[in-house]
Amino acid sequence: MNRSNIEEVLPLAPLQEGLFFHAMADSDAAYTVQTILELEGALDPARLRAAAQALVDRHANLRTAFVVVPTGAVQVVLRQVDVPWTEAEAETVAGAGAGAGAGAGSGGSGPGVRGLAAAERARPFVMDAPPLIRFLLIRTGPRAHRLVITSHHILLDGWSAPLLLRDLFSLYAGVPAPRPRPYRDYLTWLAARNRDESLAVWRRVLDGLTEPTLLAATAPPTPATVPPTPATVPRTPAAPPTPMVGNAGEAGAGAPGGDVTAAAPDHIPVPLAADIQQRLRGLARDSGVTLSTVVQAAWAITLSRFVGRGDVVFGATVSGRPPEIAGVESMVGLFINTVPVRVTVDPAETVAALLGRLHRTQSETLDHHHLGLAEVQALTGLGALFDTLVVVESYPVDNAAIDRVRAALGVEITAARTEDATHYPLTLVADPGAELRLELEHHRGLLAPHRAREVGELLGEVFAAMVEAPDALPVARLAVAAPPRFAAENAAENVGPEHPVSFSSVVGVWDGVVAAG
């Protein structure tokens, strides 16, 4: 690394520490994120390549190398890097089925697209050789292309993905954009936090917890299994990465140790009738809480049924963007974190009372979401506290900026999909858009498929029951209790529990942003 090309040296954010640990352990395949865009129109490849280079020039954190120095792990921002750019032609197979290509549809792509994209995703990043983002443009027809953007999750969270795409196409279209606030400002904010104060808050929240809440036979690795980062590196020992909120909300880590595999998850929809969805929104409004709080309460009740006790813990992905940093909502980088959510389910308590209590606990920890998960879990002495995750997708979109870019683009983005990863055996993904969409992602190697389906079925029952009489109905009457020996039975049914699993979530990060009105 040429010293004259070094712009600055910065510490790592807590989640970056964990992701870097996994990368150094050669187990970072699950943290490769890939977005594939279908483009229709008179695209200028040379102009798009120049825009990709300008994008990397614009955002300093895209020019970052991750290295270990005598004092610990740091990120080194370079002044200039060349963007990795590849162009290819994909063979179009007449009559190919919809599953033959990546994002099959407009343009009709054959297996060449899928193979080229898979090869990009399989190619590992070298952490000290930035940029950890690369572009592949595949021509699939006279006026059809696929743009494949592959990056390491250590650079970006799901909130950042639409922002990055907006900037890329603004640069392509020549639409002026304000100067971005650098990721460095967030790291500076982190360094100024009172760590002892935050630890004290989490210690109170977790006080008295006697056991973790695990649905699968194999628990995630405990903090003790992770080599500590030298004390001179700010904040936390290196932790197993916490789930990313990304493109599905990002989900990313803290699950079983070992080598990462490339298996995709099973996806189990949790259908809710339209009237139930509307009443759930009304329940949140009348209770003075967010829909996210309602989702978390339902998940806590469901977990309580399956593990047979009232004191449960699960993970929740948080945006990690502190409102006191002006313009933080438009910053590009890795801000997300995973925090434990502890809920004591009192059978005699009403739904409304449970929601109010959960909201108060969340408010207590809101200013302390920045601590690394391993450091928080270490307070209990129990190791990993949970093996399920709740991700509620919610990204603000500047529709006016998107409209300006679309008008000047000259190319239509007809579809988009993103693949990211998580290691948790079971993840609940909630998209509270115009329609509340719920889906369970699970890996059958860690959780028997029929058990995952049982969880989804009971969760649907709980949601439906919560809206019946929230001010009067006790929690105990929300659903038929599942056998409390669930975890023990599941242990005998699991297959290959020693292997962690990468999840692959197909999410429309950009389609909701640029879809034709």
Side-chain angles (χ1 to χ4, degrees):
M1 190 180 298
N2 189 335
R3 289 181 178 271
S4 64
N5 196 30
I6 295 177
E7 184 172 299
E8 59 184 341
V9 179
L10 300 169
L12 273 62
L15 180 54
Q16 286 182 314
E17 293 174 0
L19 292 173
F20 185 55
F21 166 78
H22 276 271
M24 296 303 290
D26 295 326
S27 60
D28 67 327
Y31 305 109
T32 298
V33 181
Q34 188 172 80
T35 297
I36 302 176
L37 305 175
E38 297 186 20
L39 307 176
E40 294 283 346
L43 182 73
D44 184 340
R47 189 166 141 207
L48 186 58
R49 178 176 186 171
Q53 180 65 58
L55 182 74
V56 172
D57 295 341
R58 173 179 169 82
H59 294 285
N61 53 311
L62 299 185
R63 294 180 265 113
T64 296
F66 295 83
V67 300
V68 177
V69 297
T71 55
V74 296
Q75 48 187 317
V76 180
V77 180
L78 303 187
R79 298 182 189 280
Q80 196 277 330
V81 298
D82 294 327
V83 66
W85 178 273
T86 306
E87 295 182 24
E89 294 268 348
E91 177 185 357
T92 299
V93 180
S106 59
S109 62
V113 171
R114 185 172 62 181
L116 289 167
E120 277 292 280
R121 185 169 171 81
R123 186 154 58 98
F125 286 100
V126 179
M127 302 305 288
D128 61 355
L132 305 184
I133 184 171
R134 53 182 178 255
F135 298 81
L136 168 64
L137 183 64
I138 307 172
R139 184 174 180 270
T140 59
R143 292 171 56 86
H145 292 79
R146 299 289 189 277
L147 178 62
V148 181
I149 305 173
T150 308
S151 62
H152 197 288
H153 186 50
I154 202 168
L155 297 182
L156 303 163
D157 56 24
W159 185 309
S160 299
L163 301 174
L164 199 73
L165 291 172
R166 179 203 62 191
D167 282 1
L168 173 65
F169 290 109
S170 292
L171 291 163
Y172 176 85
V175 176
R179 183 179 179 86
R181 184 159 188 176
Y183 187 62
R184 175 203 327 112
D185 291 355
Y186 168 66
L187 298 174
T188 300
W189 177 88
L190 272 180
R193 296 308 92 203
N194 186 323
R195 174 177 171 274
D196 292 338
E197 178 182 322
S198 294
L199 286 173
V201 169
W202 282 111
R203 188 176 288 110
R204 287 196 301 272
V205 170
L206 299 173
D207 183 46
L209 187 67
T210 60
E211 58 182 313
T213 303
L214 305 175
L215 289 188
T218 302
T222 66
T225 65
V226 181
T229 300
T232 48
V233 176
R235 289 175 303 279
T236 68
T242 54
M244 26 178 125
V245 164
N247 309 315
E250 276 121 313
D259 295 332
V260 173
T261 67
D266 290 333
H267 298 266
I268 302 173
V270 182
L272 293 178
D275 66 311
I276 298 297
Q277 294 183 34
Q278 290 303 113
R279 293 169 70 185
L280 285 170
R281 295 181 191 277
L283 173 60
R285 183 177 58 252
D286 295 343
S287 302
V289 303
T290 64
L291 191 58
S292 175
T293 300
V294 175
V295 170
Q296 290 185 4
W299 190 246
I301 294 167
T302 303
L303 286 180
S304 176
R305 296 290 195 272
F306 278 109
V307 299
R309 64 177 185 275
D311 197 356
V312 296
V313 187
F314 55 90
T317 311
V318 294
S319 74
R321 293 178 180 248
E324 52 265 47
I325 299 180
V328 70
E329 70 282 350
S330 63
M331 292 172 65
V332 168
L334 186 67
F335 296 85
I336 61 157
N337 203 3
T338 293
V339 298
V341 178
R342 181 190 185 186
V343 184
T344 302
V345 180
D346 180 354
E349 190 175 38
T350 65
V351 170
L354 171 60
L355 292 175
R357 182 163 54 83
L358 180 54
H359 174 71
R360 290 190 294 273
T361 301
Q362 291 173 331
S363 298
E364 183 181 358
T365 60
L366 186 61
D367 292 334
H368 309 280
H369 283 171
H370 55 277
L371 284 187
L373 177 59
E375 192 169 21
V376 173
Q377 292 187 131
L379 295 171
T380 66
L382 298 174
L385 298 180
F386 53 85
D387 66 356
T388 67
L389 175 71
V390 174
V391 176
V392 179
E393 299 176 0
S394 179
Y395 308 133
V397 175
D398 186 345
N399 289 309
I402 295 300
D403 288 341
R404 287 195 300 272
V405 174
R406 183 190 298 154
L409 193 56
V411 176
E412 184 180 1
I413 303 170
T414 59
R417 70 184 185 97
T418 293
E419 294 182 359
D420 56 18
T422 178
H423 278 158
Y424 286 102
L426 194 63
T427 299
L428 171 62
V429 180
D431 179 1
E435 175 186 356
L436 175 59
R437 293 188 294 112
L438 300 166
E439 182 179 76
L440 290 177
E441 296 180 358
H442 94 284
H443 185 265
R444 62 178 56 222
L446 296 175
L447 191 65
H450 74 279
R451 291 303 192 194
R453 289 193 297 271
E454 288 175 9
V455 173
E457 290 167 2
L458 182 59
L459 178 63
E461 291 180 24
V462 169
F463 274 119
M466 286 177 72
V467 299
E468 289 304 320
D471 293 315
L473 191 67
V475 168
R477 295 179 58 191
L478 289 187
V480 178
R485 58 188 182 277
F486 174 91
E489 291 178 356
N490 185 66
E493 297 168 344
N494 282 340
V495 202
E498 69 276 15
H499 297 297
V501 180
S502 70
F503 282 54
S504 183
S505 305
V506 177
V507 188
V509 170
W510 187 247
D511 51 349
V513 178
V514 298

